Amino acid sequence: MTTSFNLEDYFTSEKFNFLTEPNDIPEEIKLRGFAYPKFIKTEGVLFIGLNPSFRNGDKMSENSFYTDDNYEDDRYFKKFHELVPPPLEYSHLDLLGIRETSQNGIRAILNSKENEAFVLNQLSMAKKIIEKAQPKIIVVVNSISRELMGLFNDNQNPYESFAFKFYFDSEIGTYRIKENEQLQDKPVFFSSMLTGQRALDLGSFGRLKWHIEWVCQKEFPKPEIKISE
């Protein structure tokens, strides 16, 4: 049964500190504030992104928590609706809360020694949220997020304590989490972005949609309804 928890309240209960000083994050990014979803649904499909974007026309703001209503018609979030087979519901979580559109800008932040404590602070909280959400399926929709989570990262990862461990399950054709008591054997799909210049082409998107639906049917079959004679 799908429920949800209030992320704003959860941050308060965990005494989560958004800022960890010192760091060399550009002042412009700091002034934009942070953005997180207000609610995370449990036992659904959890989409993992990297960070909320900052688009032309957006206002500088303090830390904010958005709801689905804020982005009902947003091109980024619409794609999630298309991928999730009913009756499952979805939530979306970015590993980092900082608002920046440039992936190169995010890589520069991740690669700075001065930012390691800042980044790990946010990644550690993201891991707690993922575990608390108990998703039936996880879909990672960003290549940098995939690296941070521990898949196909050949470089030395300063955030290894955050990374998950995976094994490939040939029965379902995708990865599962291992060595994690809360998320053991959860199916995980790794994908490119769903919108933008580097988005999946229509054929790849269609295959991903089919694959998620197939795994849902296999993992969580609907109970048979017996009709009494």
Side-chain angles (χ1 to χ4, degrees):
M1 178 181 177
T2 301
T3 59
S4 64
F5 61 93
N6 187 310
L7 201 55
E8 187 173 8
D9 291 345
Y10 185 65
F11 281 169
T12 300
S13 67
E14 291 288 318
K15 299 179 180 178
F16 177 58
N17 177 21
F18 290 91
L19 289 173
T20 305
E21 301 288 355
N23 60 65
D24 67 351
I25 293 174
E27 193 64 27
E28 181 183 41
I29 294 179
K30 289 182 182 179
L31 290 174
R32 293 171 185 170
F34 297 81
Y36 284 95
K38 188 174 180 66
F39 298 101
I40 295 288
K41 294 184 176 70
T42 61
E43 299 185 25
V45 178
L46 182 61
F47 289 92
I48 302 292
L50 180 60
N51 70 286
S53 64
F54 188 82
R55 301 170 182 168
N56 290 334
D58 285 352
K59 296 180 180 179
M60 298 290 187
S61 67
E62 296 179 352
N63 300 338
S64 62
F65 293 87
Y66 59 85
T67 65
D68 290 346
D69 293 339
N70 298 130
Y71 292 95
E72 187 175 359
D73 297 319
D74 190 275
R75 63 182 182 273
Y76 181 76
F77 290 88
K78 271 187 173 182
K79 287 294 184 180
F80 302 148
H81 287 289
E82 296 178 35
L83 286 174
V84 178
L88 289 180
E89 298 184 58
Y90 82 86
S91 288
H92 172 267
L93 177 69
D94 287 310
L95 298 181
L96 306 175
I98 51 178
R99 301 167 67 202
E100 168 62 18
T101 300
S102 168
Q103 296 286 286
N104 289 334
I106 294 295
R107 279 204 182 274
I109 290 171
L110 293 173
N111 292 336
S112 169
K113 281 280 187 184
E114 289 186 44
N115 290 325
E116 286 184 8
F118 170 82
V119 172
L120 190 56
N121 179 46
Q122 296 197 32
L123 292 179
S124 298
M125 178 54 76
K127 191 168 191 175
K128 288 182 179 180
I129 295 168
I130 295 169
E131 292 174 344
K132 184 175 175 62
Q134 284 294 294
K136 291 185 180 296
I137 287 177
I138 296 172
V139 185
V140 182
V141 291
N142 180 279
S143 59
I144 300 178
S145 295
R146 179 200 68 208
E147 294 172 15
L148 289 171
M149 292 188 73
L151 191 72
F152 302 147
N153 188 352
D154 297 327
N155 302 318
Q156 187 174 359
N157 184 4
Y159 311 111
E160 192 65 37
S161 61
F162 161 76
F164 293 85
K165 291 184 170 58
F166 303 95
Y167 69 96
F168 189 81
D169 184 348
S170 58
E171 289 290 324
I172 62 170
T174 193
Y175 291 87
R176 291 186 187 270
I177 293 176
K178 66 178 182 179
E179 299 179 31
N180 182 296
E181 185 176 348
Q182 291 90 341
L183 300 173
Q184 184 66 29
D185 298 322
K186 297 288 185 182
V188 183
F189 291 87
F190 292 95
S191 171
S192 302
M193 293 186 219
L194 303 180
T195 57
Q197 293 182 341
R198 300 179 182 178
L200 288 179
D201 60 82
L202 292 177
S204 298
F205 184 85
R207 284 191 295 274
L208 178 61
K209 177 178 173 63
W210 175 89
H211 200 174
I212 291 173
E213 290 178 349
W214 183 84
V215 169
C216 283
Q217 292 171 5
K218 185 176 179 63
E219 293 282 297
F220 321 109
K222 296 178 182 178
E224 294 184 11
I225 300 176
K226 294 184 179 180
I227 302 176
S228 57
E229 295 181 358

